[in-house]
Amino acid sequence: MTLRSDAMRAHPGFPWLEGGDVAGVRAFLTARGWLERDETVLDCARAGEGNMNLTLRVRTDRRSVVLKQARPWVEKYDHIAAPWERSLSERWFYERVATIPGVAGWVPRLLASDESARALLLEDLRDASDLTGLYAGGRLEPEEVDRLARVLRALHDGTAGDPLRPDFNRSMRELNHAHCFVVPLDPANGLPLDRFEPGLAAAAAALAGDAAVRAVAARTGERYRSAPGPLVHGDYFPSSWLRTADGVRVIDPEFCFQGEREIDVGCALAHLVLARQAPATARRFLDAYEGSAATCDLASVARYAALEIVRRLIGVAQLPIAPTRGWRGALLSRARDAALGGSLTPLWEPA
C-alpha cells in the first residue's frame, strides 16, 4: 500500500481533489464560494509535473485558475511522506511577497485559501511553460537571467528585517535537509544510479565514503537547518521558473523558510550548471544578484551549489536529463572539489 491509499483510507471525509474530476472540483469550489455566480467549470487537469503538490489548472466559462492541494505525501513520489501543513507556509509566502516591490508582480496572485482543505487558489499564468527544457538544451535569455536574479535579491532584501519565526515551515526544511545533505551520501539508499550513467553507483559510493565530503555536508546541512536570515524560496530552480509573454515568473515556494540567502543563490547556480548553460550565464546571474552591494558569502554559495549538484546527480529527486556516459561522474568530481574548496571555480569549467 502507498502513503496515498493509506491516507485516503484514514481520512475518508477529506476533500481529496483529482485531475479530471470536474464534478468534484466544481463542488469543492462552490462549497467555498470560490466560483462567481453562474460560473461553470469546464475542465480541470494537472498543471505540469506537480512534484510536491497536486496542481490543477481549472478552466471555467470565464477564466482559468490554478488549484493546489497539499497532501501528506510527495505527489511525484507517493511513497515519501511530506508535511501536510506546507500549504499554510506557501500561503504566507504569497501574502508576504505581495507587499514587496520588485517581487509582487513576478509571482502568481493568491486568490483564496482553505486551511482545512490544505488548498490554495492562485492566478493562472496562462500560456506559460516552466524552464525544465533547459536540461534538454534550452537556453536562458540574458534578460531572463537578470530578472531571476533581481527578483531573488528583492525577496531577500525585502524580508531581511522580518522578525524570526524559528518554527516557520520547519517540517519542510527538515525534509529538504535530509534529501540534500543526508540521503545522497547514504551508501544504503538503494538508488539505481547506473541506469543514469554506467559507473555512477561506484562514484556515488566513493563519494559517500569520503570523510571530508561528509564533514562538509554535515556542517553545511546544519547551517541549512538552523541559520537565520531572510525569507528564502527554498527551491529556486527551473521547475519553479515560468517563461511567459511578459517575462519570467516564479512559482512553487512550498519549501520557503527563513534562512541564509546563499541557499537560493547556490541552488540557482547549481541548476545553471546542471542544465549546461554557458559558464558566463551563471556568472551573469551572480553579478545581477550581487549588483552594487555584494551580500553573499561566496564560499557558502559554492558549498550549497556543490551539494545541490550532488543530490541531483545521486539523490532521489532526479532531473529530466537523458542518460549520459561520463558527464555525471565528471560533474560529481567537480562538485566535490567545489564543496571542499569553498569555490565556484570548479563548477564554471565546461563539462
Side-chain angles (χ1 to χ4, degrees), residues 229-296:
L231 183 62
V232 298
H233 180 279
D235 208 18
Y236 207 66
F237 81 122
S239 285
S240 299
W241 305 338
L242 293 186
R243 180 175 278 152
T244 76
D246 298 319
V248 289
R249 298 291 189 270
V250 178
I251 60 170
D252 291 346
E254 57 259 18
F255 281 103
C256 64
F257 60 91
Q258 290 175 300
E260 296 186 305
R261 61 177 70 217
E262 288 84 358
I263 292 167
D264 280 342
V265 176
C267 182
L269 292 176
H271 285 271
L272 294 179
V273 172
L274 285 159
R276 291 183 252 195
Q277 302 298 292
T281 299
R283 293 192 191 97
R284 184 182 183 113
F285 179 95
L286 186 58
D287 289 345
Y289 179 89
E290 293 285 76
S292 59
T295 60
C296 283

Side-chain angles (χ1 to χ4, degrees), residues 64-147:
S64 178
V65 293
V66 169
L67 179 61
K68 289 185 71 173
Q69 185 176 60
R71 284 97 95 78
W73 61 80
V74 177
E75 197 66 23
K76 189 173 181 179
Y77 308 100
D78 63 8
H79 62 285
I80 299 177
W84 209 354
E85 69 277 8
R86 62 189 179 273
S87 64
L88 308 183
S89 299
E90 184 172 359
R91 180 190 70 187
W92 186 86
F93 179 97
Y94 284 118
E95 291 172 344
R96 178 68 184 91
V97 303
T99 68
I100 303 174
V103 184
W106 301 95
V107 300
R109 288 181 296 115
L110 176 66
L111 305 177
S113 65
D114 184 329
E115 180 175 339
S116 64
R118 277 75 166 185
L120 305 177
L121 192 69
L122 298 164
E123 172 190 14
D124 184 15
L125 302 176
R126 301 190 64 177
D127 300 320
S129 58
D130 69 37
L131 287 169
T132 54
L134 296 178
Y135 300 113
R139 288 290 176 264
L140 277 173
E141 297 298 328
E143 60 271 18
E144 293 176 326
V145 176
D146 294 345
R147 174 57 58 188

Side-chain angles (χ1 to χ4, degrees), residues 299-348:
S300 185
V301 169
R303 287 188 288 269
Y304 281 122
L307 292 166
E308 173 69 12
I309 288 172
V310 168
R311 77 110 162 194
R312 293 295 187 167
L313 291 177
I314 62 172
V316 173
Q318 291 289 318
L319 298 168
I321 298 174
T324 52
R325 300 191 71 84
W327 178 80
R328 283 176 166 87
L331 181 53
L332 196 64
S333 178
R334 288 160 46 205
R336 175 191 180 278
D337 293 343
L340 295 183
S343 170
L344 290 163
T345 300
L347 302 181
W348 295 159

